[in-house]
Amino acid sequence: MSKTLIVANWKMNPKSFKDAAKLFEMVEKNVKLSKDAEVVVCPPFLWLRELRSKKLSLGAQNCHFQMSGAFTGEVSSLMLTDAKVEYVILGHSERRQMGETDAQINLKVKTALKDGLKPILCIGEKEDEEINLVLERQITQALEKITASQLEQVAIAYEPVWAIGTGKACSADNALSATLFIRRILTKLYSRFLAEKTPILYGGSVSSENCAQYLDRSGMNGLLVGGASLDADQFVKIINTVSKR
Ligand code: PEP
């Protein structure tokens, strides 16, 4: 089984590099990482070259699918690997909300893999949507023409949109149903072996109080943490709780 993956999505936070460096340093100093766990910090692009650590890996929050060119405001996956970034969050619901489509996410997954990045593919339903329909569509389209050996570099983050930043975390039972369904789709697209091997993370109002259940009772292999990753004490507590499992 793969390592437990704990991903911090800082989004467009904190407000200054001074605060970002302090947060990063506090996490690095206080975290007790077992060899079976990996922590990935995803700050805004601007600080990716500045935040370096032997303990914490780095991820970007997005990338473009073209290598270079007239794409104002964008950053390519090649630029990210050149900056020694290892992971990239793709298909986050906040980006889908800004108009990103499944087809564009598929292009990004392909380019990121080609350039040596490990995609963390976010999927999840809105409150009024039929969960299985949404998950099947998002997974199938994002992974179109991704080979079995490429899939080994991909993690999937199940993030129900209604749970992101709302304090309404998904129950352990519902998260378990989502895990089983995602593995069923991956089995259909690839194989049972690969479906079991692909890391599935939970994201959506994760806190130090609710984090353990997703690994203990929902069959998840890690967490994607937004708000709570901006508080060093909370985030360290989350890491120290789940990395022992
Ligand atoms: C996220 O942004 O991916 C997320 C899960 O946010 P939060 O933990 O704040 O709900």
Side-chain angles (χ1 to χ4, degrees):
M1 186 42 91
S2 57
K3 286 184 178 185
T4 300
L5 204 55
I6 306 130
V7 183
N9 178 14
W10 285 4
K11 312 191 188 193
M12 201 169 71
N13 295 297
K15 289 197 177 84
S16 67
F17 177 64
K18 194 171 156 218
D19 290 348
K22 195 166 149 208
L23 172 60
F24 193 77
E25 196 187 304
M26 293 290 286
V27 173
E28 190 191 36
K29 200 169 108 196
N30 295 308
V31 81
K32 290 185 207 77
L33 261 191
S34 82
K35 63 178 182 358
D36 299 322
E38 180 172 3
V39 175
V40 183
V41 176
C42 304
F45 286 130
L46 193 60
W47 301 326
L48 279 166
R49 274 196 183 271
E50 318 247 7
L51 302 171
R52 293 287 138 169
S53 156
K54 288 204 169 80
K55 269 185 175 171
L56 311 173
S57 306
L58 281 176
Q61 299 171 20
N62 182 31
C63 69
H64 199 265
F65 49 83
Q66 296 283 2
M67 213 163 54
S68 62
F71 302 99
T72 302
E74 296 288 343
V75 170
S76 75
S77 49
L78 209 55
M79 291 169 184
L80 293 173
T81 38
D82 184 54
K84 308 276 180 294
V85 172
E86 247 186 281
Y87 290 86
V88 62
I89 296 174
L90 293 175
H92 192 280
S93 64
E94 286 155 16
R95 296 214 57 89
R96 293 180 190 263
Q97 190 68 32
M98 294 174 211
E100 197 163 278
T101 64
D102 287 311
Q104 287 169 335
I105 294 163
N106 175 244
L107 291 175
K108 291 182 181 201
V109 172
K110 280 183 188 149
T111 313
L113 285 166
K114 177 177 69 57
D115 291 334
L117 287 172
K118 297 177 193 164
I120 299 162
L121 170 66
C122 299
I123 56 169
E125 81 289 359
K126 296 194 188 123
E127 198 143 34
D128 57 348
E129 287 180 324
E130 165 53 48
I131 172 170
N132 289 2
L133 284 181
V134 173
L135 299 192
E136 180 154 18
R137 190 200 75 230
Q138 290 180 338
I139 296 171
T140 308
Q141 296 192 11
L143 297 180
E144 200 184 310
K145 296 210 167 73
I146 300 301
T147 66
S149 69
Q150 286 178 313
L151 185 73
E152 298 194 26
Q153 302 303 314
V154 178
I156 294 183
Y158 170 60
E159 300 206 295
V161 179
W162 48 266
I164 296 180
T166 59
K168 286 196 281 176
C170 184
S171 71
D173 285 350
N174 287 346
L176 173 63
S177 305
T179 312
L180 296 175
F181 185 72
I182 293 165
R183 297 211 195 278
R184 185 133 52 91
I185 301 299
L186 293 174
T187 301
K188 207 158 85 175
L189 295 175
Y190 296 93
S191 65
R192 175 121 191 240
F193 175 73
L194 276 180
E196 293 299 329
K197 233 177 131 185
T198 304
I200 300 179
L201 321 181
Y202 170 74
S205 296
V206 169
S207 67
S208 55
E209 281 85 46
N210 67 21
C211 60
Q213 61 180 344
Y214 300 111
L215 288 103
D216 291 348
R217 293 174 45 206
S218 308
M220 300 274 178
N221 312 105
L223 301 167
L224 204 172
V225 188
S229 72
L230 296 170
D231 176 327
D233 290 344
Q234 268 278 330
F235 191 53
V236 166
K237 245 194 221 171
I238 292 171
I239 299 167
N240 291 345
T241 304
V242 301
S243 71
K244 281 192 223 113
R245 285 169 155 79

